[in-house]
Amino acid sequence: MKGKKIMFVGDSLSLNQWQSLTCMLHAAVPQSNFTLQRKGDLSTFYFQDYNISLMLFRNAFLVDLVKEKMGRILKLDSIQNGNSWKGFDMLIFNTWHWWLHKGSAKAWDYIQKGDKLYKDMDRLIAFNEGLKTWSKWVDSNIDPSHTKVFFQGISPTHYNGAEWNATKGTTCNHETQPITGSKYPGGPLPAVAVVKGVLSNMSTAVGLLDVTQLSQMRKDGHPSIYGIDGQKGNDCSHWCLAGVPDTWNQFLYAILVMGGKSIDLNY
């Protein structure tokens, strides 16, 4: 990848994987010179000796979230911010977790599709519409002979112990062992089917890092009360580093070594 520019585009789970990859690469060449800069929503880790730029563009929805007089509007069929994603050798996209937020944590006041405004809608339907807009942008703007495109996949959370046959009030906090067996007791996440459905209808080949099931088994892998907010919070969404995202990056590496062909990341 010497001389290449790689960009992750997405929410804090993209940050998780980007941080993991920068640490793994630095560990492989610890004496290599590097710079780390952040400007607005763009963070850049640059390996000077190899002329490799590893970037993160923070964008929770991929489609546009704009502030207008009436409030914050999530525009399901608009993706003007995509101009910032052009000209890279590899793009790794991700979105999902912010689509689920409710109450004060919700990022929008209205959802817009076409000329219609909605106070809210079924989140899977909204996610599907937004992802289709993203897929059309990729098909219209990306030259696959120059740019490899991946979708990071859906990262699971572990806030409900009933999903792994514990009590409902159990979370990832105090969990120290992975789930045994080869299937997650709580079953698949519906968002995965949405992602696979959208990718299957694209003309551009997009590699899916289908990490959901293997990550579901790692209820022990989250920061829990040792996250940013300490014991004021309980983070069962993000992942400890070193940890699960390192495995995601090992799979990404395997796909690149195989020439971009998909591999089965599940059991």
Side-chain angles (χ1 to χ4, degrees), residues 43-100:
S43 299
T44 303
F45 193 100
Y46 177 62
F47 283 97
Q48 296 166 310
D49 298 344
Y50 300 92
N51 190 25
I52 292 177
S53 296
L54 191 64
M55 302 178 181
L56 170 71
F57 188 92
R58 294 292 293 270
N59 187 303
F61 298 100
L62 302 184
V63 293
D64 295 330
L65 177 65
V66 300
K67 190 172 184 180
E68 299 184 357
K69 287 184 177 180
M70 65 181 64
R72 302 163 300 171
I73 302 177
L74 181 62
K75 300 193 173 187
L76 299 183
D77 49 7
S78 176
I79 197 162
Q80 296 298 321
N81 53 68
N83 290 328
S84 302
W85 313 334
K86 296 179 180 178
F88 291 88
D89 299 285
M90 185 188 304
L91 292 168
I92 305 159
F93 292 97
N94 165 64
T95 181
W96 171 235
H97 279 268
W98 280 84
W99 295 86
L100 294 175

Side-chain angles (χ1 to χ4, degrees), residues 248-258:
W248 302 350
N249 284 316
Q250 288 171 339
F251 283 128
L252 174 62
Y253 174 70
I255 292 173
L256 294 175
V257 170
M258 294 174 64

Side-chain angles (χ1 to χ4, degrees), residues 23 39 41 47 51 87 115 123-124 130 162 191 198 203 237 262-263 265:
C23 290
K39 186 176 182 180
D41 293 325
F47 283 97
N51 190 25
D115 57 358
R123 302 304 176 81
L124 275 175
V198 170
S203 58
S237 298
S262 297
I263 57 176
L265 306 187

Side-chain angles (χ1 to χ4, degrees), residues 106-256:
K106 189 177 66 172
W108 67 82
D109 299 303
Y110 297 94
I111 296 176
Q112 183 174 1
K113 181 184 177 184
D115 57 358
K116 292 185 177 181
L117 287 176
Y118 304 87
K119 283 293 290 183
D120 209 345
M121 66 168 59
D122 183 290
R123 302 304 176 81
L124 275 175
I125 293 175
F127 178 59
N128 183 60
E129 292 297 325
L131 210 58
K132 286 195 294 185
T133 298
W134 164 82
S135 71
K136 292 174 183 176
W137 181 91
V138 171
D139 283 340
S140 300
N141 292 277
I142 296 300
D143 179 358
S145 66
H146 175 72
T147 304
K148 294 182 182 295
V149 182
F150 295 92
F151 195 88
Q152 185 177 333
I154 302 298
S155 177
T157 63
H158 290 96
Y159 287 105
N160 182 7
E163 292 182 358
W164 59 90
N165 299 324
T167 60
K168 187 176 181 180
T170 301
T171 69
C172 70
N173 189 23
H174 300 305
E175 295 293 330
T176 60
Q177 296 295 323
I179 296 169
T180 58
S182 60
K183 297 292 183 182
Y184 186 62
L189 293 178
V192 175
V194 172
V195 171
K196 290 182 177 179
V198 170
L199 296 189
S200 67
N201 287 313
M202 295 179 65
S203 58
T204 303
V206 176
L208 174 61
L209 299 179
D210 193 1
V211 299
T212 306
Q213 184 176 318
L214 65 89
S215 303
Q216 282 178 318
M217 310 303 282
R218 291 299 308 276
K219 59 182 171 61
D220 60 314
H222 301 281
S224 67
I225 62 171
Y226 304 101
I228 293 175
D229 294 328
Q231 297 198 20
K232 294 179 181 179
N234 183 30
D235 186 350
C236 299
S237 298
H238 303 99
W239 303 94
C240 296
L241 294 179
V244 172
D246 298 342
T247 303
W248 302 350
N249 284 316
Q250 288 171 339
F251 283 128
L252 174 62
Y253 174 70
I255 292 173
L256 294 175

